[in-house]
Amino acid sequence: QVQLVESGGGLVQPGGSLRLSCAASGFTLDYYAIGWFRQAPGKEREGVSCISSSDGSTYYADSVKGRFTISRDNAKNTVYLQMNSLKPEDTAVYYCATVCLVLQADFGSWGQGTQVTVSS
């Protein structure tokens, strides 16, 4: 059974950091590009970052560039999203998926999401 499980969310003050994990089971994650997405209340789901399966190239949305870092540990079958200098507007449910674009959503496997709240 293909499954992605996110963890690492929580409540953090502005300027703080969190590291999200996306652990895969039932398949070898390094064969897939993995994307991180987020959805805030009342807003559409948006792509945050993506890492390729081939050469490890990465993509970041402009809103997180320079603050977030995506990485993968194939030995642990896990992809990470290190989030630094967090802002209140980063508050959302964060999802990982085996796709990199929201338009591809129907063609990928998704985790259940992890809540990130940035507030003082």
Side-chain angles (χ1 to χ4, degrees), residues 13-58:
Q13 292 186 341
S17 298
L18 285 173
R19 188 178 79 157
L20 305 184
S21 299
C22 172
S25 61
F27 69 105
T28 302
L29 192 146
D30 55 334
Y31 292 143
Y32 293 83
I34 299 296
W36 281 99
F37 301 81
R38 67 187 181 187
Q39 188 164 19
K43 295 188 176 181
E44 294 185 351
R45 188 169 298 189
E46 63 173 348
V48 173
S49 183
C50 182
I51 186 165
S52 74
S53 60
S54 54
D55 60 1
S57 58
T58 57

Side-chain angles (χ1 to χ4, degrees), residues 8-12 16-20 81-84 86 116-117:
L11 173 64
V12 64
S17 298
L18 285 173
R19 188 178 79 157
L20 305 184
L81 185 68
Q82 177 67 43
M83 306 187 297
N84 299 328
L86 283 161
V116 171
T117 302

Side-chain angles (χ1 to χ4, degrees), residues 51-104:
I51 186 165
S52 74
S53 60
S54 54
D55 60 1
S57 58
T58 57
Y59 158 84
Y60 299 95
D62 288 343
S63 58
V64 306
K65 202 170 293 183
R67 300 188 297 122
F68 290 12
T69 303
I70 191 171
S71 62
R72 63 196 310 157
D73 185 335
N74 291 337
K76 294 183 178 180
N77 220 24
T78 301
V79 170
Y80 302 98
L81 185 68
Q82 177 67 43
M83 306 187 297
N84 299 328
S85 302
L86 283 161
K87 305 175 181 180
E89 51 264 42
D90 294 318
T91 295
V93 178
Y94 283 71
Y95 303 87
C96 64
T98 57
V99 294
C100 281
L101 299 175
V102 174
L103 290 176
Q104 299 170 320

